Amino acid sequence: MTHEHLVMSFECSYTPPPPGDEAMAENPFQMQHMHWLRQHPYSCRENLFLSQETNALRDELLAYKKAGGGTIVENTTTGIDRDLPALQQLAKDTGVHIIAGAGYYIDCTHTEATKKMSVEKLTNSIVNEVLHGADGTDIRCGVIGEIGTGWPITESEKKVLRSTAHAQAQLGCPVIIHPGRDPAAPAEVVRILQENGGDISKTVMSHLDRTIFDEGELLEFANMGSYLEYDLFGTEMLNYPFNLKVDMPSDSQRVKTLAFLVKEGYEDKILMAHDIHTKNRLTKFGGHGYCHILKNIVPKMLTRGITHHQVDKILIDNPKRWLTFK
Ligand SMILES: CC(=O)NCCS(=O)(=O)O
């Protein structure tokens, strides 16, 4: 799984509940509220603290391993409470390989100090997180990202993107991007990375499920050469609070898009994940957990014209190639 979170907080994305539902936000984790939480995951503060669930995560990872999972790329970067010692402990306890992410999340999580840093300083900090260790530890990150960008991309985010490209040019390492919620956002990010020496063939564009809907636009973007990640499997909601114009697809629609991309020749570029970032998606709280793709989505893919060989490419070969330093 190339895009998950195990220990993070998503407080930066709190969204007040819809009118009339204010009280619901205070009393979240009861059976009768599970549907409400799926529809409004960001409207209950407690739901945003995955960082409080380390014990549950140990069980989640053991279940993931039992279902055939070997590795998770943990995309938590500076700004959403990365906790590398906790990740190291989870990896030791469960035997699941956890690859940590270097760099910075979206603008609203950049501190004043981060905003003042030069591109050179930001580059050095990212390179240091990969080569020597991050957050005052000797635990080294294995990818850069998820690098957060919004729409339009802010000046501070552009600086981080330039630094990401410079760091990637030095290290030959994998990069993963969180794009803004506009169909034009992924291509704009790729352009900035390219102009600054980034290697697009080793870059993942995340969250395409909520970003590009038109098939022609998707193929145009795919032609730019990045990995194409569908990473919100398990997320089904009517009103996507971060962009009400977006109709969040169902898992069936996601599988249909993957089958389309395979038919168009992009089987070597597709990646998949759940991007679990709220508590309600853990099995402890009635959610789908980290095994959903392996247990439920893969069998569905096989019934929709994607072969076993192509599934292996998407879940094993493509992640392996992306994660290998050049
Ligand atoms: C943690 C994170 O950034 N998740 C992405 C959620 S989104 O709704 O696809 O932007």
Side-chain angles (χ1 to χ4, degrees):
M1 297 296 133
T2 49
H3 196 132
E4 302 296 344
H5 299 270
L6 299 167
V7 187
M8 69 167 279
S9 75
F10 208 36
E11 222 184 342
C12 58
S13 295
Y14 176 76
T15 312
D21 281 359
E22 291 82 1
M24 291 289 284
E26 299 309 319
N27 194 9
F29 298 110
Q30 296 175 26
M31 216 38 201
Q32 70 263 35
H33 295 160
M34 288 300 134
H35 177 71
W36 188 90
L37 270 175
R38 271 195 291 279
Q39 294 299 323
H40 308 285
Y42 311 113
S43 299
C44 161
R45 281 193 199 279
E46 202 188 322
N47 201 32
L48 307 178
F49 289 95
L50 207 50
S51 49
Q52 296 168 340
E53 297 300 331
T54 323
N55 282 336
L57 279 159
R58 200 167 287 113
D59 296 338
E60 291 277 355
L61 289 178
L62 290 172
Y64 175 68
K65 196 170 153 189
K66 197 167 166 207
T71 303
I72 280 182
V73 183
E74 215 282 3
N75 276 251
T76 306
T77 43
T78 299
I80 44 177
D81 289 356
R82 180 175 56 190
D83 185 343
L84 294 172
L87 296 186
Q88 188 176 56
Q89 194 59 49
L90 281 168
K92 278 185 182 157
D93 290 351
T94 64
V96 173
H97 299 290
I98 300 174
I99 298 169
Y104 300 84
Y105 194 56
I106 57 175
D107 185 283
C108 63
T109 70
H110 295 181
T111 62
E112 283 312 308
T114 301
K115 287 186 182 176
K116 283 191 190 131
M117 281 165 80
S118 64
V119 171
E120 192 183 4
K121 275 211 163 127
L122 287 165
T123 306
N124 289 343
S125 91
I126 294 173
V127 168
N128 195 53
E129 290 186 348
V130 175
L131 290 185
H132 304 294
D135 304 335
T137 74
D138 61 358
I139 304 169
R140 292 173 291 156
C141 299
V143 303
I144 302 177
E146 62 181 300
I147 295 299
T149 58
W151 188 255
I153 305 172
T154 69
E155 278 314 307
S156 190
E157 289 167 347
K158 282 182 186 167
K159 269 199 299 174
V160 171
L161 284 173
R162 287 184 206 118
S163 320
T164 296
H166 294 172
Q168 188 187 36
Q170 279 185 46
L171 299 168
C173 67
V175 162
I176 182 162
I177 302 292
H178 165 111
R181 300 170 183 104
D182 185 281
E188 182 62 16
V189 169
V190 166
R191 272 190 286 274
I192 295 172
L193 294 174
Q194 263 167 344
E195 283 164 12
N196 288 277
D199 181 352
I200 304 311
S201 75
K202 289 198 69 63
T203 298
V204 174
M205 192 53 64
S206 308
H207 312 325
L208 286 175
D209 5 13
R210 53 87 164 140
T211 313
I212 300 182
F213 297 91
D214 178 83
E215 286 185 346
E217 282 178 38
L218 180 57
L219 292 182
E220 214 172 294
F221 177 70
N223 247 329
M224 296 182 89
S226 76
Y227 285 97
L228 309 167
E229 191 177 75
Y230 286 76
D231 51 28
L232 295 166
F233 275 94
T235 306
E236 303 205 354
M237 58 171 69
L238 272 177
N239 297 301
Y240 176 55
F242 303 142
N243 184 350
L244 291 173
K245 285 195 224 145
V246 162
D247 285 328
M248 183 62 87
S250 66
D251 281 351
S252 296
Q253 289 167 312
R254 289 184 179 101
V255 170
K256 214 171 178 180
T257 306
L258 296 190
F260 167 72
L261 285 170
V262 167
K263 182 171 73 66
E264 293 293 328
Y266 289 97
E267 64 194 51
D268 293 330
K269 287 294 183 182
I270 301 168
L271 297 171
M272 297 166 69
H274 311 92
D275 185 22
I276 292 183
H277 52 274
T278 53
K279 287 188 189 186
N280 69 303
R281 296 176 66 194
L282 301 179
T283 49
K284 173 181 173 183
F285 299 111
H288 54 77
Y290 296 82
C291 302
H292 177 53
I293 288 176
L294 295 177
K295 287 193 168 175
N296 305 316
I297 303 299
V298 167
K300 175 87 178 180
M301 288 164 79
L302 295 171
T303 68
R304 290 296 182 270
I306 302 176
T307 65
H308 227 293
H309 181 59
Q310 288 162 337
V311 168
D312 280 354
K313 281 188 168 193
I314 294 168
L315 291 180
I316 302 168
D317 301 341
N318 297 350
K320 198 189 280 183
R321 190 183 327 107
W322 170 56
L323 288 166
T324 305
F325 279 48
K326 263 192 175 167

